[in-house]
């Protein structure tokens, strides 16, 4: 939870006469030039390496064209040339080796699949909300409308504590939920990869709203008896985009440690964060967030390339926390009666749109074809220099990516991204179907979406996948992966027994089978 980015109110989407602040802004209206510069900065950072490679290639080609024997005789009697050439080759090779980032491979990942006993159909959700005695009639009706237009199906999951009447939001039940989710995902990961827990050198855990002492990462170390020198990190309060942040942190650590395995665990905890009050802005997360989690195995070992699924290409992070409205748009607080919950601002969609615009403008120069970059940059320059009243050219990201994993935060976010990025229904299908089958599982949702694409057999060698997520703060983060082979779903995929039923038909966001 903790991220509306998420949990944007579905009932506010595209309603006639709706305030523009409740929709993503039209990206055609404004794109800031400074964010384009950030993207090009990434390219300039590695410019020396890019220039040295073709230069060394030209030298080798020229050497191949000349008479090797004559060249040897010349060098025999020209000590200066020998020294200079040797020094240049040594320097160039050293610079290349020192500046080249180590490749980071995604060996495999596993998503937690809760037991069927924890499923919460539409009618059961409303019945429990009514019987728990905490909600007035207005709040019950509001939740019914939000749930009805949310895009969630009848098979999402809530923790055991919330199936009880009255609910039991205790520390003990919250720990139990955390253990079930994290250990369930990790057990699947170790089983699928054959990696022993003690082989793990780096552990990164992210959970936004449940941060007990000892930490969740310590809980994993204790359960699996991990090595005593493990480098463990526990990220809290970072919302639904924390999964990408964890990947970024693990990548940086893998650059500093050779031949290393890193595990990233992304989860959320609902037990102690279920809102039992009547403020509408704090009721929306109840309707959207559900149980889920994922564990990801990363490696920088060259020997693992052959068996890995993907290689990490880029991570681009955007943080709008310097702006007060962005900082407070997803805010955990108490209501007038002292009930704690996460409040979602009516400006959430506009703020998410601004963060997304910044993120994709920075990402564009790294991934887009040259033709798209030139058109994009040219229109920006003309508009900047001549104050021309022309709309900026919005690049076609379908030319850069083969698959899209858009955080399944809510139906409205998915709708608006589909519209503003000019995506096709098949591109947002993984997000819509993940929202329908599992609900908003916070930072792990992008892994359920990737599992969906794999289960459909759509990923081929060389395909690029764009994972993008929003989080409280306010943040928008992207990760780009390239497949190393034709990827098949791993054993015990969360979609294993239901992929044939998808995609389901949605009518105005409501599954056709739902009342």
């Amino acid at each position: 939870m903790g991220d509306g980015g998420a949990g944007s109110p579905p009932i506010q989407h595209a309603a006639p006469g709706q305030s523009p602040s409740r929709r993503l802004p039209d990206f055609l209206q404004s794109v800031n030039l400074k964010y384009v510069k950030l993207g090009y900065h990434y390219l300039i950072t590695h410019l020396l390496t890019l220039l040295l490679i073709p230069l060394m290639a030209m030298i080798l080609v020229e050497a191949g064209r000349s008479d090797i024997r004559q060249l040897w005789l010349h060098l025999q009697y020209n000590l200066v040339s020998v020294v200079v050439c040797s020094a240049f080759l040594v320097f160039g090779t050293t610079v290349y080796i020192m500046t080249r980032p180590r490749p980071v491979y995604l060996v495999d990942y596993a998503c937690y699949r809760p037991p069927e006993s924890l499923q919460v159909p539409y009618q059961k959700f409303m019945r429990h909300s009514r019987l728990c005695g905490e909600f007035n009639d207005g709040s019950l009706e509001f939740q019914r409308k939000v749930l009805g237009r949310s895009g969630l199906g009848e098979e999402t999951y809530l923790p055991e504590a919330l199936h009880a009447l009255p609910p039991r939001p205790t520390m003990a039940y919250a720990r139990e939920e955390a253990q079930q989710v994290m250990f369930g995902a990790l057990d699947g990961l170790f089983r699928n990869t054959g990696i022993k827990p003690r082989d793990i050198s780096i552990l990164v855990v992210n959970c936004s709203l449940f941060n007990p002492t000892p930490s969740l990462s310590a809980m994993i170390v204790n359960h699996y008896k991990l090595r005593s020198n493990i480098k463990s990190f526990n990220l809290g309060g970072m919302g639904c985009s924390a999964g990408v942040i964890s990947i970024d942190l693990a990548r940086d650590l893998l650059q500093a440690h050779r031949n290393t395995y890193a595990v990233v665990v992304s989860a959320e905890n609902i037990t102690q964060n279920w809102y039992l009050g009547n403020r509408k802005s704090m009721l929306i997360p109840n309707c959207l967030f559900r149980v889920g989690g994922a564990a990801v195995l990363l490696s920088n070992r060259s020997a693992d390339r052959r068996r890995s699924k993907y290689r990490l290409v880029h991570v681009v992070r955007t943080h709008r926390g310097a702006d007060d409205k962005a900082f407070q748009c997803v805010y955990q607080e108490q209501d007038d009666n002292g009930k704690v919950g996460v409040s979602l601002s009516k400006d959430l969609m506009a703020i998410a749109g601004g963060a997304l615009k910044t993120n994709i403008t920075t990402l564009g120069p790294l991934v887009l074809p040259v033709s798209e970059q030139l058109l994009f940059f040219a229109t920006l320059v003309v508009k900047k220099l001549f104050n021309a009243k022309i709309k900026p050219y919005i690049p076609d990201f379908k030319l850069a990516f083969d698959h899209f994993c858009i955080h399944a935060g809510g139906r409205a976010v998915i709708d608006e991204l589909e519209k503003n990025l000019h995506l096709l229904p098949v591109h947002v299908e993984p997000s819509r179907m993940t929202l329908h089958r599992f609900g908003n599982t916070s930072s792990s949702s992008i892994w359920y979406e990737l599992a969906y694409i794999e289960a459909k057999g759509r990923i081929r060698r060389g395909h690029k996948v764009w994972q993008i997520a929003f989080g409280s703060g306010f943040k928008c983060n992207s990760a780009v992966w390239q497949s190393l082979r034709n990827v098949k779903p791993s054993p015990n995929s969360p979609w294993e027994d239901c992929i044939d039923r998808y995609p389901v038909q949605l009518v105005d966001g409501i599954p056709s089978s739902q009342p």
Side-chain angles (χ1 to χ4, degrees):
M1 296 177 72
D3 170 20
S8 55
I11 64 170
Q12 296 172 347
H13 168 64
Q18 181 184 42
S19 169
S21 66
R22 301 193 181 187
R23 299 184 59 186
L24 288 179
D26 188 350
F27 294 166
L28 291 174
Q29 298 301 319
S30 62
V31 177
N32 199 320
L33 187 61
K34 69 178 181 181
Y35 299 124
V36 183
K37 295 177 182 176
L38 289 175
Y40 285 101
H41 172 72
Y42 283 90
L43 298 179
I44 298 301
T45 301
H46 302 289
L47 184 61
L48 180 60
T49 302
L50 296 174
L51 292 177
L52 281 174
I53 293 175
L55 185 60
M56 294 174 68
M58 289 174 59
I59 293 174
L60 292 174
V61 170
E62 287 300 322
R65 289 179 179 176
S66 61
D67 190 320
I68 301 298
R69 188 171 181 277
Q70 288 182 356
L71 180 62
W72 172 250
L73 290 174
H74 172 73
L75 292 176
Q76 265 187 317
Y77 301 102
N78 194 332
L79 182 61
V80 175
S81 297
V82 173
V83 173
V84 170
C85 288
S86 299
F88 179 81
L89 288 173
V90 170
F91 174 76
T93 303
T94 302
V95 169
Y96 174 71
I97 293 174
M98 294 297 291
T99 60
R100 180 188 63 175
R102 293 189 179 95
V104 174
Y105 303 115
L106 193 163
V107 180
D108 206 349
Y109 64 95
C111 298
Y112 174 63
R113 173 81 174 267
E116 291 186 8
S117 60
L118 297 183
Q119 287 184 355
V120 54
Y122 179 87
Q123 296 297 339
K124 184 177 182 179
F125 178 94
M126 292 306 304
R127 183 172 64 254
H128 272 63
S129 295
R130 184 174 63 256
L131 294 177
C132 77
E134 299 289 344
F135 305 110
N136 59 34
D137 291 342
S139 295
L140 290 170
E141 178 62 16
F142 179 78
Q143 290 182 84
R144 186 190 67 79
K145 289 181 178 179
V146 172
L147 189 64
R149 294 179 58 84
S150 65
L152 273 67
E154 297 279 355
E155 299 177 292
T156 61
Y157 306 90
L158 283 176
E160 182 179 349
L162 299 182
H163 284 262
L165 284 174
R168 301 170 183 170
T170 65
M171 175 65 76
Y173 274 103
R175 285 184 184 275
E176 183 178 339
E177 180 192 349
Q179 291 172 354
Q180 289 176 349
V181 172
M182 295 190 304
F183 299 164
L186 285 167
D187 287 346
L189 181 68
F190 292 138
R191 184 168 53 249
N192 292 344
T193 60
I195 295 295
K196 297 179 181 178
R198 291 189 64 84
D199 293 335
I200 305 303
S201 299
I202 297 169
L203 173 65
V204 183
V205 180
N206 68 266
C207 182
S208 189
L209 290 177
F210 182 60
N211 293 283
T213 298
S215 67
L216 298 179
S217 59
M219 190 183 295
I220 293 173
V221 171
N222 174 260
H223 180 77
Y224 291 99
K225 310 305 177 188
L226 302 184
R227 58 208 305 178
S228 61
N229 64 342
I230 190 168
K231 297 166 183 63
S232 63
F233 301 84
N234 202 94
L235 306 182
M238 305 193 81
C240 297
S241 68
V244 177
I245 296 173
S246 297
I247 293 292
D248 191 32
L249 174 58
R251 178 190 65 169
D252 290 345
L253 292 167
L254 287 170
Q255 297 307 309
H257 303 278
R258 295 178 179 273
N259 298 320
T260 299
Y261 285 119
V263 166
V264 171
V265 179
S266 295
E268 194 48 86
N269 194 284
I270 300 177
T271 296
Q272 286 195 312
N273 296 289
W274 193 257
Y275 177 60
L276 295 171
N278 292 290
R279 185 187 293 182
K280 291 183 179 180
S281 64
M282 301 169 77
L283 283 169
I284 296 169
N286 286 10
C287 303
L288 296 178
F289 284 93
R290 297 293 185 264
V291 172
V296 183
L297 178 64
L298 302 176
S299 171
N300 59 8
R301 298 158 54 101
S302 57
D304 284 322
R305 187 185 193 282
R306 182 179 297 273
R307 69 172 183 146
S308 296
K309 289 184 173 183
Y310 307 94
R311 177 177 64 87
L312 182 59
V313 182
H314 300 294
V315 175
V316 174
R317 292 167 56 181
T318 300
H319 203 310
R320 301 296 298 273
D323 178 79
D324 290 341
K325 284 188 175 180
F327 176 73
Q328 297 175 356
C329 73
V330 181
Y331 205 78
Q332 186 179 25
E333 60 183 345
Q334 291 179 315
D335 64 14
D336 296 336
N337 296 316
K339 301 293 180 67
V340 177
V342 176
S343 177
L344 305 183
S345 166
K346 59 181 174 56
D347 298 319
L348 175 59
M349 292 293 285
I351 292 166
L356 173 65
K357 183 171 63 178
T358 301
N359 190 268
I360 65 174
T361 306
T362 305
L363 180 67
L366 302 176
V367 298
L368 289 168
V370 175
S371 59
E372 288 294 296
Q373 292 192 47
L374 290 176
L375 285 170
F376 179 59
F377 195 70
T379 54
L380 279 179
V381 171
V382 170
K383 184 178 180 66
K384 189 78 173 179
L385 295 180
F386 303 103
N387 292 320
K389 294 183 178 180
I390 59 173
K391 293 181 178 180
Y393 177 73
I394 300 302
D396 186 358
F397 280 89
K398 297 189 295 293
L399 299 176
F401 303 114
D402 301 284
H403 308 283
F404 298 78
C405 296
I406 300 167
H407 167 54
R411 169 181 161 243
V413 172
I414 300 172
D415 287 347
E416 292 296 333
L417 282 175
E418 178 183 13
K419 173 185 173 182
N420 279 279
L421 295 180
H422 307 297
L423 301 179
L424 301 175
V426 69
H427 294 135
V428 295
E429 180 184 309
S431 301
R432 293 193 190 281
M433 298 307 106
T434 295
L435 182 65
H436 175 269
R437 178 62 184 85
F438 296 100
N440 180 348
T441 60
S442 190
S443 57
S444 65
S445 69
I446 53 178
W447 299 107
Y448 287 88
E449 293 163 14
L450 186 57
Y452 178 89
I453 302 171
E454 291 179 2
K456 285 294 185 181
R458 296 173 181 173
I459 295 183
R460 297 289 181 265
R461 180 185 178 91
H463 279 190
K464 287 187 176 179
V465 180
W466 181 17
Q467 292 180 321
I468 185 164
F470 303 92
S472 55
F474 190 86
K475 299 177 287 292
C476 176
N477 300 318
S478 293
V480 179
W481 304 87
Q482 184 171 33
S483 60
L484 300 174
R485 52 187 168 89
N486 296 345
V487 179
K488 297 180 180 179
S490 300
N492 300 308
S493 162
W495 300 92
E496 192 171 59
D497 65 346
C498 61
I499 191 63
D500 293 337
R501 295 192 276 118
Y502 285 88
V504 297
Q505 296 298 317
L506 302 176
V507 181
D508 193 27
I510 304 174
S512 57
S513 61
Q514 180 174 305

